[in-house]
Amino acid sequence: MAASILAITSTFLSISTSGQAFTPSNNADSFSQRPISSMGRHRQTRSPILFSSQLGNDSVDKREGAPSVSDSAFFRSVSTLDRVKGDYDDDHDDSSYTCEKKRILYMEKEIELLSQLDPNHPINYIDSHIEDDIQEHMTKMEEATLEELSALWHGQQGAINEHKLRFYESRLQDVQGSLDGPVALEHYGSCLDLIHEHCCVDSPGTAQSNGRLEEVDFDKLDLGKWIEPAHHLANLLAKTDRLAESKAWTEEILAEKPWHVGALSMMRIVCLRLNDEEAAMKWAVKGLPGLSPQSRTWRSEWVQESVDLAKEKLAELRKDLTDKIVAKIEISVRTTSSVMTEGMIVFDDSAWQ
């Protein structure tokens, strides 16, 4: 059994450290193989995203044309390791392990959506040589893709938490004046509660709802677990003229997701309000380029760079998950071996007596 574990672990490690993103395994419904006419020319033809509730049950997007993430070699290996780990550990339902698997699924989907922002992606093709028609079609596809990305980021911690966050966002217009006001301070505390509950590195924490961001230790937060509460908090801080704090949060967001379109726009606006025109120009250049004929090459380069960065994040997540699984298996094997050895000694002593 130990030999089989070693063989499976070696295979799994070779997959997780290859540095390559997940790819659909000859999926007949992939975008590259679908007829252009089936992709739809208007946003209404695109199926709504299904991640807010379905991924809570480890399912994936089943709409037409979606890559079959569960068919990847990586997840086949994870399933195999699950079975082996279960042989040694009856209590192997590790919530942290499950969350890591779901996070990988989300990143896989995020890479797919990012790639659709490329003007050369098949979904942006239209059978027309009229520039106005091409521009209109690409604009509609961009709006739909950005909406799906937003839904993906909002729903990363399940439907209930998504509803909480969207409720807070709907109340942002009620916030007036400084952060010291009762409405703003309550809003700030509720949003920070979500961040501490879902993004702490070690264990859930408790927000300090007193309007002082100095008490937040970014080193203890992993915003990749749920990025949108931090983005909303940055918006709240900007609206209440806490520009330096808003900028600090936005920098943390972009350190985790350099392709976050909303955060890139927020950074430019905050820098302008801080009268830092040079920084504002720098962040404006880093933003998502437009869809004009003159910008499409630049946009394709932006998308490719963003996809490459996202794939690096994905490789890190896969390696972390691999390390956790292997470590748990090794502990289980050592524990089982120790128990068996101890049992043999007791048996021999009884026989001698």
Side-chain angles (χ1 to χ4, degrees), residues 23-53:
T23 55
S25 55
N26 299 324
N27 188 348
D29 289 330
S30 67
F31 281 121
S32 62
Q33 295 170 325
R34 291 171 58 198
I36 298 299
S37 60
S38 70
M39 294 181 184
R41 296 179 55 180
H42 303 287
R43 179 167 51 177
Q44 290 85 345
T45 64
R46 289 174 60 138
S47 303
I49 196 162
L50 303 176
F51 270 78
S52 295
S53 58

Side-chain angles (χ1 to χ4, degrees), residues 11-277:
T11 303
F12 185 72
L13 282 170
S14 66
I15 294 171
S16 65
T17 57
S18 62
Q20 298 178 352
F22 304 149
T23 55
S25 55
N26 299 324
N27 188 348
D29 289 330
S30 67
F31 281 121
S32 62
Q33 295 170 325
R34 291 171 58 198
I36 298 299
S37 60
S38 70
M39 294 181 184
R41 296 179 55 180
H42 303 287
R43 179 167 51 177
Q44 290 85 345
T45 64
R46 289 174 60 138
S47 303
I49 196 162
L50 303 176
F51 270 78
S52 295
S53 58
Q54 279 84 341
L55 271 181
N57 297 321
D58 276 347
S59 61
V60 294
D61 189 356
K62 300 299 184 182
R63 66 180 183 172
E64 180 185 1
S68 178
V69 178
S70 60
D71 288 341
S72 68
F74 176 78
F75 282 101
R76 288 199 299 274
S77 296
V78 168
S79 298
T80 302
L81 281 169
D82 279 341
R83 292 193 295 271
V84 174
K85 186 157 69 76
D87 291 339
Y88 293 99
D89 189 357
D90 293 334
D91 189 28
H92 87 288
D93 185 14
D94 189 335
S95 60
S96 174
Y97 165 74
T98 302
C99 288
E100 291 297 327
K101 286 175 66 177
K102 283 193 270 189
R103 189 170 173 183
I104 289 171
L105 283 170
Y106 272 89
M107 183 59 73
E108 177 74 14
K109 182 65 179 180
E110 192 166 344
I111 291 172
E112 177 201 340
L113 292 173
L114 278 173
S115 67
Q116 292 178 11
L117 293 173
D118 189 340
N120 297 320
H121 192 282
I123 202 171
N124 293 312
Y125 175 83
I126 182 174
D127 189 13
S128 174
H129 297 289
I130 301 174
E131 180 56 37
D132 289 345
D133 292 343
I134 297 173
Q135 186 76 23
E136 179 184 4
H137 174 74
M138 286 188 173
T139 300
K140 289 178 178 178
M141 293 298 100
E142 176 191 59
E143 291 174 357
T145 298
L146 291 177
E147 284 181 4
E148 291 189 53
L149 270 173
S150 177
L152 188 72
W153 291 334
H154 276 80
Q156 194 169 353
Q157 290 296 334
I160 293 177
N161 288 307
E162 178 183 357
H163 292 158
K164 287 182 183 179
L165 178 58
R166 290 192 182 276
F167 172 72
Y168 299 149
E169 289 178 343
S170 69
R171 294 186 59 200
L172 185 59
Q173 60 185 357
D174 299 330
V175 176
Q176 302 293 337
S178 69
L179 193 61
D180 297 329
V183 176
L185 192 58
E186 179 185 0
H187 195 107
Y188 167 77
S190 299
C191 190
L192 198 57
D193 282 340
L194 287 179
I195 295 172
H196 277 254
E197 180 181 356
H198 298 284
C199 299
C200 279
V201 174
D202 298 321
S203 60
T206 302
Q208 300 294 326
S209 305
N210 56 8
R212 295 179 56 198
L213 278 181
E214 292 80 6
E215 297 188 8
V216 177
D217 186 352
F218 287 124
D219 290 335
K220 295 182 179 180
L221 297 178
D222 180 1
L223 297 182
K225 294 181 177 180
W226 195 16
I227 203 76
E228 280 308 290
H231 183 219
H232 174 62
L233 186 61
N235 277 276
L236 171 65
L237 291 166
K239 186 171 183 179
T240 54
D241 293 326
R242 307 275 296 231
L243 298 178
E245 293 94 334
S246 176
K247 182 180 178 183
W249 276 96
T250 307
E251 287 173 343
E252 293 296 321
I253 294 168
L254 291 173
E256 179 63 34
K257 291 186 186 293
W259 55 87
H260 195 293
V261 179
L264 287 166
S265 178
M266 171 62 66
M267 183 63 84
R268 178 181 63 83
I269 293 171
V270 168
C271 288
L272 282 174
R273 292 180 59 186
L274 289 170
N275 296 318
D276 190 345
E277 295 184 1

